Amino acid sequence: MRLTVIGTGYLGATHAACMAEIGHEVLGVDVDPDKVAALRAGRVPFHEPGLPELIAKHTASGRLRFTTSYEEAGAFGEVHFVCVGTPQLKGSEGADLTYVDAAFAAIAEHAAPDALLVGKSTVPVGTAGRLAAAYDVEVAWNPEFLREGFAIEDTLRPDRLVFGVGSRRAETILRTVYQPVLAAGTPAVTADFPTAELVKTAANAFLATKISFINAMAEVCEAAGGDVTKLSEALGYDDRIGRRFLRSGIGFGGGCLPKDIRAFAHRADELGVSLAFLREVDAINMRRRDRVVELARELCGGDVLGARITVLGAAFKPDSDDIRDSPALNVAARLGLDGADVTVYDPAAMDNARKAFPLLGYAVSAEEALRGADLVLHLTEWPQFRSIDPERARSLVRRPRIVDGRGGLDADRWTAAGWRFSALGRPAPNGEG
Ligand code: NAD
């Protein structure tokens, strides 16, 4: 089939490449001419494992092209996927639908009358119905669940597909688009618009709640002298609870979970339903960042002024260069404002971090970042950081003190190498607090 993918950011570029991979002819559309030029030249303007190769493969095969022209898109596509951003509104918890509205208006003007406009962006419940009523061209909603860092795998082999449709025709078209994915056994749930929209926001709300639940337990452990890692291990053996998303740490960030739970609570208010617990989920999450800042102060003797602090990590999660609402950079920036001499290192997100926080220091390697440090904060769980040798690291720093904000480091190894090791929600193994 001939598909367009409108908005070629993290979601859209991945979706476009994967649709080409399963055999479609795909035209990616973006209003950002620099992004389109980069993609045309085979350069992916963000870090996603395997994506540059897949885009290169299909631009070479002729199945994938990019444009800024809606006219070209309208003439090209039978199905148009809208993948533009839905950031948080300035001054409100709600979602900014400006880009979604603009993209639908532009493609509806140029699309063939029998085309299908498919929203993939994460939107407040009610958006699909409103857009369907506004245009003559049929609308469907097909929310996306991919995880950055696993985006290709998640698109080609998703846990499930959700089709929010208003007709059998729309469902049949979506089933045809995804035929190879469905043939591989992926379950599909067909639903009305509100249910399809809600699957996405409910999934994000559940995951955020699970993360904040264990982080709230970490707060209790800190107050009561317990160890949250043992607590989550024991909870995780319970099949009804499960171990995934149950590791305590500095909490979630990124371009999705924080803004999505806020937009969900806001939309629920509009509908007269209270999801106040999501605001507490949000607050618990933000408090973990405060706790790391507080720990850094404690470990530096009450004041970080002039302390050389190394922050390992800048991306909001490993295998990504996405720094949107990154807990690591939030903490780094706050310590910098308090007068610490902060040096950040991240395997992929250095350019983005430098642009967003130009006043922080940056190192070209973890080793360089560690040199002369008074305190090390491990804030993004890259595998590279887990494999740092604590003995070697100790020889580089001025004072061997580390806070594991992700719970991924081996406390015994670091302690045995002479480090004062602190983690969220656990007593220090060497009993130093
Ligand atoms: P992004 O900011 O990386 O990309 C959005 C792209 O849309 C940009 O390239 C921008 O230039 C383009 N754009 C804006 N207005 C446009 C218009 N009128 N026409 C054409 N292009 C336009 O955002 P993203 O992370 O890809 O997220 C997109 C949507 O997908 C959001 O609703 C997000 O919540 C959802 N989502 C994202 C992920 C993820 O992991 N990033 C996962 C699932 C769902």
Side-chain angles (χ1 to χ4, degrees):
M1 294 177 84
R2 289 159 72 94
L3 317 177
T4 77
V5 176
I6 298 166
T8 55
Y10 285 91
L11 165 58
T14 307
H15 190 65
C18 290
M19 289 300 102
E21 176 71 4
I22 62 172
H24 300 296
E25 280 183 64
V26 184
L27 182 63
V29 187
D30 206 289
V31 286
D32 180 345
D34 293 339
K35 196 167 272 185
V36 167
L39 289 165
R40 274 184 182 153
R43 285 194 314 276
V44 179
F46 53 86
H47 177 87
E48 182 60 46
L51 189 58
E53 294 79 0
L54 203 60
I55 289 186
K57 175 178 168 189
H58 291 297
T59 43
S61 75
R63 286 221 291 267
L64 177 60
R65 291 188 299 116
F66 296 94
T67 184
T68 54
S69 164
Y70 270 98
E71 218 169 347
E72 190 184 346
F76 177 88
E78 304 159 68
V79 180
H80 305 276
F81 286 100
V82 176
C83 299
V84 299
T86 48
Q88 189 174 339
L89 276 169
K90 294 263 174 290
S92 158
E93 286 179 312
D96 182 352
L97 294 177
T98 318
Y99 307 102
V100 166
D101 289 348
F104 268 87
I107 193 60
E109 187 187 337
H110 295 286
D114 62 347
L116 185 65
L117 313 184
V118 185
K120 283 193 83 61
S121 303
T122 303
V123 291
V125 59
T127 305
R130 175 174 63 76
L131 291 167
Y135 300 110
D136 291 334
V137 190
E138 186 166 8
V139 168
W141 219 268
N142 167 221
E144 178 57 53
F145 303 92
L146 68 78
R147 298 161 299 165
E148 287 175 23
F150 304 90
I152 293 173
E153 179 65 18
D154 286 351
T155 307
L156 295 176
R157 280 168 283 278
D159 291 338
R160 77 304 214 180
L161 287 164
V162 175
F163 301 144
V165 293
S167 74
R168 289 300 292 271
R169 184 187 93 98
E171 181 182 356
T172 304
I173 293 173
L174 284 170
R175 284 187 177 276
T176 310
V177 169
Y178 285 107
Q179 194 277 331
V181 179
L182 294 168
T186 304
V189 178
T190 301
D192 50 41
F193 291 148
T195 310
E197 293 165 318
L198 281 168
V199 177
K200 174 65 189 176
T201 40
N204 275 354
F206 185 85
L207 295 176
T209 302
K210 203 168 173 194
I211 296 168
S212 278
F213 173 81
I214 199 64
N215 282 335
M217 294 306 108
E219 290 183 334
V220 178
C221 284
E222 281 156 18
D227 182 340
V228 75
T229 55
K230 294 276 177 216
L231 178 68
S232 61
E233 182 191 348
L235 285 174
Y237 287 124
D238 189 326
D239 279 347
R240 296 166 304 173
I241 298 173
R243 62 179 53 224
R244 296 189 68 200
F245 282 76
L246 207 62
R247 207 162 77 201
S248 83
I250 190 178
F252 56 82
C256 291
L257 279 194
K259 61 116 177 143
D260 287 349
I261 60 167
R262 289 171 200 150
F264 194 18
H266 180 82
R267 181 67 185 132
D269 282 348
E270 288 175 350
L271 294 167
V273 181
S274 170
L275 292 184
F277 78 95
L278 283 180
R279 297 200 168 93
E280 188 54 27
V281 164
D282 198 2
I284 293 164
N285 191 53
M286 299 314 272
R287 286 205 296 270
R288 291 289 76 189
R289 302 177 188 190
D290 299 342
R291 178 67 189 134
V292 175
V293 171
E294 204 180 283
L295 257 177
R297 264 192 218 118
E298 282 167 28
L299 288 165
C300 291
D303 188 357
V304 296
L305 187 68
R308 295 186 63 176
I309 299 183
T310 296
V311 173
L312 294 177
F316 86 95
K317 61 182 270 189
D319 275 322
S320 172
D321 65 351
D322 194 344
I323 57 153
R324 291 178 287 186
D325 200 4
S326 159
L329 283 176
N330 180 296
V331 167
R334 283 160 65 180
L335 293 171
L337 286 174
D338 286 349
D341 176 2
V342 179
T343 302
V344 178
Y345 172 69
D346 187 282
M350 298 295 275
D351 289 348
N352 287 342
R354 225 184 249 113
K355 271 183 227 143
F357 295 93
L359 298 181
L360 294 172
Y362 294 93
V364 297
S365 65
E367 285 227 341
E368 189 192 304
L370 289 168
R371 207 157 272 138
D374 294 312
L375 174 66
V376 179
L377 306 178
H378 170 237
L379 300 184
T380 308
E381 205 179 353
W382 283 94
Q384 287 93 322
F385 297 152
R386 261 205 311 276
S387 57
I388 288 175
D389 175 9
E391 298 273 359
R392 166 82 187 136
R394 192 179 171 192
S395 72
L396 297 169
V397 299
R398 192 154 66 183
R399 293 201 176 82
R401 300 185 292 205
I402 184 161
V403 176
D404 183 7
R406 289 293 177 186
L409 301 181
D410 183 338
D412 294 339
R413 264 188 81 210
W414 284 80
T415 307
W419 286 77
R420 179 171 177 181
F421 186 96
S422 308
L424 301 177
R426 343 175 28 180
N430 47 355
E432 288 184 52

